[in-house]
């Protein structure tokens, strides 16, 4: 298994937001987290990506297997599109960015400063980092924000190809990504408030 969570509990600001979450992702698997804003999707993804500790439960992730993409595109505006990808390729110990540029349709922008890109182009560049990371498990928080219809379709094809090549994807999204994936509604894991936590006065 690339990612396995068993009865996982996570917190935001010290307060539990999800409890008892269980799922497993192996090569070729995709899982989409659903639920309203504030329901704990981002907190769960950040925990899976090892950006914060879990409160309880078991989390098993293959070492150096996760590439995380959050709300920030993670790009440097003073660098060109190509220079941004070359920077990230160097961080992950890889070389060659042409495939990533072509996959996200930004090859003709390679010499443009990232600060001059539109919101959708910046998002494509941020997502292109996934392809230079060389990691099999993608953990993605609302990956299609700022993408138009064509961009969403392109993203769906990239993910489908990643799965076909033995990768896995865990994503939070409110829209149809065009990816064959299971769905998990996180609202079913909202912690139950204990009667002992009631602040009222008992006569």
């Amino acid at each position: 298994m690339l990612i396995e969570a068993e009865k996982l509990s996570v917190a935001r600001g010290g307060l539990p937001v999800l409890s008892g979450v269980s799922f497993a992702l192996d090569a070729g698997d995709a899982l989409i987290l659903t639920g309203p804003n504030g329901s704990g999707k981002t907190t769960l993804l950040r925990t899976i990506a090892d950006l914060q500790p879990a409160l309880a439960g078991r989390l098993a992730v293959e070492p150096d297997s996760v590439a995380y993409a959050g709300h920030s595109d993670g790009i440097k505006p003073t660098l060109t599109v190509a220079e941004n990808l070359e920077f990230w390729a160097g961080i992950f110990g890889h070389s060659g960015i042409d495939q990533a540029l072509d996959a996200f349709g930004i090859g003709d922008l390679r010499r443009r400063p990232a600060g001059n890109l539109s919101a959708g182009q910046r998002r494509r560049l941020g997502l292109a980092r996934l392809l230079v990371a060389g990691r099999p498990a993608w953990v993605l928080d609302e990956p299609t924000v700022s993408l138009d219809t064509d961009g969403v379709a392109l993203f769906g094809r990239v993910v489908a190809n990643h799965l076909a090549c033995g990768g896995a994807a865990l994503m939070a999204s409110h829209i149809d990504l065009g990816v064959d994936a299971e769905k998990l509604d996180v609202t079913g894991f909202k912690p139950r408030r204990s009667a002992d936590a009631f602040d009222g006065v008992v006569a």
Side-chain angles (χ1 to χ4, degrees):
M1 289 294 172
L2 290 174
I3 300 175
E4 187 173 10
E6 183 178 358
K7 297 182 179 178
L8 198 65
S9 297
V10 299
R12 179 176 59 242
L15 299 176
V17 291
L18 295 175
S19 179
V21 181
S22 296
F23 64 86
L25 286 178
D26 207 347
D29 292 340
L31 179 65
I32 296 177
L33 304 179
T34 63
N37 290 335
S39 58
K41 300 187 299 297
T42 294
T43 303
L44 178 58
L45 292 177
R46 287 178 54 84
T47 302
I48 300 297
D50 198 27
L51 297 177
Q52 65 179 65
L55 275 182
R58 186 178 71 89
L59 176 61
V61 181
E62 287 292 320
D64 297 323
S65 66
V66 172
Y68 174 76
H71 293 161
S72 171
D73 294 320
I75 62 177
K76 297 180 180 297
T78 58
L79 299 182
T80 66
V81 167
E83 288 168 342
N84 267 279
L85 279 185
E86 287 166 352
F87 170 81
W88 284 106
I91 291 292
F92 289 107
H94 294 274
S95 60
I97 62 170
D98 290 342
Q99 180 185 2
L101 289 169
D102 292 341
F104 281 95
I106 52 176
D108 58 341
L109 302 174
R110 61 185 304 136
R111 293 183 177 85
R112 183 176 298 183
N116 294 341
L117 299 176
S118 68
Q121 291 167 340
R122 287 196 301 272
R123 193 57 172 170
R124 290 191 187 201
L125 174 56
L127 291 170
R129 290 182 301 148
L130 297 168
L131 294 177
V132 302
R135 296 190 170 184
W138 290 358
V139 177
L140 313 177
D141 194 0
E142 298 292 350
T144 57
V145 169
S146 300
L147 293 182
D148 58 16
T149 302
D150 290 341
V152 172
L154 183 150
F155 170 76
R157 291 193 294 271
V158 170
V159 173
N161 184 67
H162 178 64
L163 300 177
C165 292
L170 174 63
M171 302 171 283
S173 180
H174 289 100
I175 69 170
D176 182 5
L177 300 175
V179 176
D180 185 15
E182 298 291 330
K183 292 186 178 181
L184 181 66
D185 186 349
V186 301
T187 57
F189 300 96
K190 185 177 180 180
R192 293 182 178 179
R193 185 175 175 85
S194 169
D196 294 336
F198 181 63
D199 295 328
V201 177
V202 179

